[in-house]
Amino acid sequence: MKARAEALPTQEMLINMGPQHPSTHGVLRVILRTDGEVVVNARPDVGYLHRALEKIGERVTYAQFMPFTDRLDYLASMNCNAAWAWTVEKLAGIEVPERAEYIRVIVCELNRISSHLIAFGSFTADMGAFTPFLYAIRERERVNDLFEDICGNRLTYNYVRIGGVSADLPDRFLEKTKEFLDYFEPKIPEYNKLISYNKIFVHRLANVAAISGGEAVAYGLTGPNLRGSGVSFDLRRSEPYSVYPKLDFDVCVGTGERGTVGDCFDRYMVRINEMRESVKILRQAIAQIPGGPVMAKVPRAFKPPVGEVYFRAENPRGETGIYLISDGTVNPYRLKLRAPSFVTMNIFEKVTKGLMIADIVAVIGSFDIILPEIDR
Amino acid sequence: MGLKGYLHDIWEAVATTAKGMRITARYGVDPRETITLQYPEERWEPSERFRGFLHNDIKRCTSCTMCVKVCPVDCISLESVRGADKKLVLASYDINIGRCMYCGLCVEVCPPKSLTHTSGYEKATVTRGELILHFVPEDAEEIKARVAKQVAEAAAKAEAEKSAKAEAPPMGWPAPVFAAGNPGAGADAEKKPAREQKGEPANREEPPKEGGERTE
Amino acid sequence: MMESLAVSLVNAVPALSGVPLWTMTLLVMVVVAAVVLTFALLYAGLATYVERKVAGDIQARIGPNRVGPLGLLQFLADGIKLLLKEDIIPAKADRFLFALAPYLVFIGSFAAFVVVPFGVGLIASDLNIGVYYVMAISSLVVVGVMLAGWSSNNKWALLGGMRAAAQIVSYEVPVGMALLPAVLIAGSLSLQDIVRSQGGLLGIFGWNLFHNPFTFVSFFLYYTAALAETNRTPFDIPEAESELVSGYHVEYSGIRFAFFFLAEYGDMFVVSALATACFLGGWHVPFLDAEALPVAWGNLFSLGVFLAKALGLVLLMMWIRWTLPRLRVDQLMRMSWKYLVPITFFNLLGVSLWLLVFHGKGIPRMIASLFG
């Protein structure tokens, strides 16, 4: 093969996997240089969805910024809302009532399930199996029904407030959540039978883009991407916040069951297993939730003390961190949003060397990136 | 890979495919699995807390502008004038539902609870201007003019009352005692100053202090 | 067959006795071709509708149901829409090749309908090289696809075209070799002969599928390889929607795209028809001897049976499409050359040995002869 390659003059192709592409999970542009089907260099080009959220944060008040965090990662909207609330509460030292914390954990875990469902669905759709996407959407619609009951919106919730949540749980919400959990739990083995262990699917993903644990930590990967590489690090366990210390769950780690540890299949299976763990957490939270108020006393014109704080939360896509500097006025002085997908893109160029074009799609899908988060 | 691996590969491919196909067959054949709602004939019933389009009950609105201040995208604009009874009169209240992000902060913060979310979500329009909802049916300028007139009338009335009050002697003070022979003493003296003062307001240079046009 | 039809027509209708035979034959040919083409296009249109309905059912939703009763006229609406679309040819594209490619693909797909044995006497042209002809003419599709990929002046299309060429050419080998057992059993390449060889009063057991274990495996091998020939999932890498954004037909719009689309469905039918004819007993009506019936009834029943079997296989293709993910190019190639080719070789050898040892008798016939 080598001799022939040298004898035939070949040219590298420069292909633009443009912002408009069915599989790039948003407006991601990847500049591919390929030698036939094999990728020589794949450079991501981001910024098509930049909306200056951090600058907006400097001009609105703390309470007004909450709807903007919805749009940071719209598939894990509750998680981002809660991260912002926890950040400001940490800075100002606000004590949140326990019922509010339990409600926050319940909606965050429900949102984790729905976010992982989309990750699972769109990933399998990229791989060519169009059906599991619709099953995932069907499950997600039921989660959206629960969220519609609780806050009125189906996508960008703006439910969490600084100091608690905006409204108490509606009638029968906990029963409906339990019904959903009973309905959803048997679906996970069905997905595994349908697509996860399908030979073609496994073959597409096993041993593709294997990232070792050391590399993952060095590049700053977090969340399922990090855990897929075998590193057992979950912020809910390592730096617990809210009521997570009272809840019992396992940290899902990639084990290389069908290939190498840290390949695309591992990251995918970590997400499937995390859905199962979220169901466990939800059952415990529903059982343990106390009564009481759902909102602490926060002044209308809220002015936190001067200072800076960094808070990180375990979002479905990784560690969402918010670094906040306050100068004592009603508007933040500076806030920086650490988006997990943005940091994940750092390893993209390295990991795609030598893969085929079809594998690029698999890698993007297995990282579960979302563009509004990358571009903010 | 040896022969065993080869055959195992083939067997696994066939077995997993068959398992998957069984699941899709069940969905394909069972009519209960169809979950489509045929819109617009069948509609989803929005929940109680559904954040649809905003509606302001202008009879209850006190023009406090809390909603305007709290809106993150500045989609509410209102104009009000202070009326004759010192209360604010709403001249115009517009919400740009194209800009609104349905976050619900304005509804939360409204003190008289006049601003509420409806369950409406169907307002597709052809031009963007149609997306601005006007909640005060009358024209703003007309309202302002009318209120200004009312205020001016009230001010005039108030001035008249004030001058009438100024003519009357201060309460409880005894009538001035003048030395005999001085003009201004007696019953005649009381009437004369009142007649003189009546003509005065027309000559006064100062603008009336109360009831001026004030927009907020 | 055309000539005999022409002759019988001239004899039947005295007004046509003045017309020379060659004109009559030509006329008959044109009419038959028109009938076959109409059937093929109608089938292709309805196949798109059925595909969408099947997809909807599997995906827990309803397919098209607004246009016409149950959405049956959806394909007409789609066709009219495609006809009315603007015909865009990219600026730097090779205009002649760009225009030629859809025609080649269409011809490669629909010309094979000529030898499909629809019924006892219902075959457009019973060529004595039937199977060979189908294999040859469906290779035109490769040329068309490569031209489409090249002439679009689009790297995505080029990639798709190259992948398609590699794929279709590699899968020609197992397709051919998987069909050979049926040819060996019948002793002829003509499709009508192959179908007739599965007749006799053994009913379903006369099928080539049950003839011997090697042909049983051959059927599945043929079906899989043919699925790859038609670029269907799991082998739809050339037109992978989610990767190559439609691959080789990304730059085509309007009626040119319609040609590619229809050709794909036409190909599906040809492949299924071939599988039915060679392995599933073709037009043999269960419990009846179709050739002994009066001509009209025999043709009607056999047509119905054939269509039921062929369309059933088409439905199976659709079911597979909505279940499985797609293979990567190198996995596709690996599957063809490392799995399908050796196994079909082995099968061919097995069938040949079987026929030699058992003098052409299949298992059902041997069991039947035990009972007399």
Side-chain angles (χ1 to χ4, degrees), chain B residues 1-11, chain C residues 338-339 342-343 346:
Chain B
M1 96 171 107
L3 183 64
K4 192 151 169 255
Y6 188 82
L7 292 173
H8 174 78
D9 257 352
I10 299 176
W11 168 247
Chain C
K338 289 200 177 167
Y339 287 85
I343 301 180
F346 180 66

Side-chain angles (χ1 to χ4, degrees), chain B residues 142 177 181:
Chain B
E142 283 178 24
V177 177

Side-chain angles (χ1 to χ4, degrees), chain B:
Chain B
M1 96 171 107
L3 183 64
K4 192 151 169 255
Y6 188 82
L7 292 173
H8 174 78
D9 257 352
I10 299 176
W11 168 247
E12 215 191 319
V14 172
T16 52
T17 307
K19 261 199 244 172
M21 283 177 68
R22 208 167 124 210
I23 295 180
T24 44
R26 181 173 62 84
Y27 277 101
V29 163
D30 190 350
R32 286 170 306 171
E33 292 284 0
T34 308
I35 54 164
T36 317
L37 267 183
Q38 300 259 43
Y39 182 83
E41 290 93 21
E42 307 168 10
R43 278 160 203 264
W44 177 251
E45 219 28 77
S47 73
E48 254 181 72
R49 301 186 185 178
F50 184 69
R51 303 210 285 251
F53 297 134
L54 290 165
H55 178 81
N56 190 18
D57 186 358
I58 51 174
K59 291 194 207 52
R60 287 165 83 157
C61 177
T62 57
S63 311
C64 64
T65 70
M66 289 294 302
C67 53
V68 178
K69 290 190 200 125
V70 90
C71 177
V73 286
D74 300 330
C75 73
I76 306 184
S77 56
L78 73 77
E79 282 178 19
S80 62
V81 288
R82 202 171 278 281
D85 51 356
K86 306 288 181 62
K87 290 213 183 109
L88 287 168
V89 173
L90 198 56
S92 80
Y93 191 90
D94 296 338
I95 300 185
N96 185 347
I97 57 171
R99 243 198 198 185
C100 173
M101 55 166 160
Y102 306 97
C103 61
L105 287 175
C106 54
V107 170
E108 248 180 71
V109 100
C110 177
K113 297 274 172 266
S114 65
L115 190 58
T116 51
H117 275 293
T118 60
S119 62
Y121 52 89
E122 296 151 306
K123 224 185 221 21
T125 59
V126 180
T127 57
R128 261 196 263 170
E130 290 171 43
L131 285 176
I132 304 182
L133 301 180
H134 307 284
F135 285 100
V136 177
E138 291 175 68
D139 183 40
E141 295 304 316
E142 283 178 24
I143 299 184
K144 284 190 212 166
R146 180 164 42 94
V147 169
K149 206 170 82 171
Q150 282 176 354
V151 157
E153 284 174 6
K157 213 163 100 184
E159 276 311 308
E161 279 178 18
K162 191 169 165 202
S163 45
K165 247 196 251 170
E167 290 163 15
M171 299 291 287
W173 288 16
V177 177
F178 293 100
N182 241 345
D188 290 318
E190 288 187 72
K191 286 198 187 115
K192 247 207 275 175
R195 238 182 289 127
E196 276 172 283
Q197 281 195 31
K198 240 189 203 149
E200 277 189 21
N203 297 337
R204 254 211 231 151
E205 295 296 333
E206 312 160 36
K209 282 223 180 69
E210 301 160 71
E213 253 191 46
R214 222 184 278 166
T215 50
E216 305 209 7

Side-chain angles (χ1 to χ4, degrees), chain C residues 6-330:
Chain C
V7 164
S8 45
L9 252 181
V10 168
N11 291 339
V13 181
L16 298 168
S17 48
V19 181
L21 190 63
W22 65 267
T23 329
M24 212 58 223
T25 319
L26 197 61
L27 209 63
V28 168
M29 282 183 188
V30 167
V31 169
V32 167
V35 167
V36 170
L37 197 64
T38 315
F39 166 75
L41 289 176
L42 201 65
Y43 148 78
L46 283 174
T48 56
Y49 165 75
V50 170
E51 166 117 62
R52 288 169 71 168
K53 271 300 211 192
V54 164
D57 282 338
I58 290 179
Q59 292 167 354
R61 57 183 179 88
I62 314 174
N65 69 340
R66 298 263 165 181
V67 187
L70 292 178
L72 276 167
L73 300 180
Q74 181 73 40
F75 74 96
L76 282 178
D78 283 339
I80 296 176
K81 174 204 78 163
L82 284 171
L83 271 171
L84 294 177
K85 271 203 187 224
E86 183 185 349
D87 179 28
I88 305 176
I89 301 185
K92 296 223 179 80
D94 191 324
R95 295 186 77 96
F96 176 62
L97 294 179
F98 191 82
L100 183 63
Y103 297 129
L104 284 177
V105 173
F106 191 77
I107 292 172
S109 168
F110 283 91
F113 273 76
V114 158
V115 286
V116 167
F118 285 101
V120 181
L122 294 174
I123 183 169
S125 171
D126 189 10
L127 292 175
N128 57 353
I129 50 160
V131 171
Y132 189 64
Y133 166 81
V134 172
M135 303 256 341
I137 204 93
S138 52
S139 305
L140 257 182
V141 172
V142 186
V143 182
V145 164
M146 280 189 67
L147 282 184
W150 173 261
S151 62
S152 298
N153 195 34
N154 179 335
K155 287 185 188 136
W156 292 114
L158 184 65
L159 269 176
M162 293 299 125
R163 284 176 175 182
Q167 177 185 325
I168 299 181
V169 162
S170 329
Y171 278 88
E172 295 270 354
V173 179
V175 164
M177 288 202 294
L179 277 179
L180 278 181
V183 171
L184 285 178
I185 293 174
S188 150
L189 282 167
S190 151
L191 277 165
Q192 282 284 43
D193 287 347
I194 295 178
V195 175
R196 284 203 188 93
S197 77
Q198 296 173 64
L201 292 167
L202 289 173
I204 191 175
F205 296 105
W207 289 4
N208 272 343
L209 189 67
F210 302 114
H211 192 271
N212 62 55
F214 296 106
T215 50
F216 188 77
V217 178
S218 263
F219 168 65
F220 294 103
L221 291 172
Y222 170 72
Y223 197 70
T224 312
L227 210 62
E229 281 278 298
T230 56
N231 289 346
R232 295 280 294 180
T233 320
F235 307 105
D236 67 347
I237 259 284
E239 55 176 59
E241 278 162 46
S242 31
E243 287 171 37
L244 297 184
V245 204
S246 267
Y248 60 86
H249 46 65
V250 67
E251 293 282 356
Y252 284 88
S253 62
I255 199 66
R256 298 186 206 277
F257 174 72
F259 273 140
F260 281 114
F261 210 54
L262 292 174
E264 179 175 324
Y265 286 98
D267 237 341
M268 276 166 71
F269 184 80
V270 166
V271 156
S272 306
L274 232 59
T276 327
C278 293
F279 293 101
L280 298 184
W283 42 251
H284 282 287
V285 184
F287 310 120
L288 286 176
D289 186 2
E291 291 175 287
L293 290 173
V295 174
W297 287 116
N299 277 332
L300 196 64
F301 283 152
S302 54
L303 177 68
V305 168
F306 182 83
L307 283 182
K309 292 180 190 170
L311 294 177
L313 283 182
V314 171
L315 204 68
L316 183 63
M317 281 192 191
M318 294 178 184
W319 181 13
I320 293 179
R321 177 182 187 185
W322 298 111
T323 311
L324 295 176
R326 73 172 66 91
L327 290 166
R328 211 174 51 206
V329 188
D330 59 328

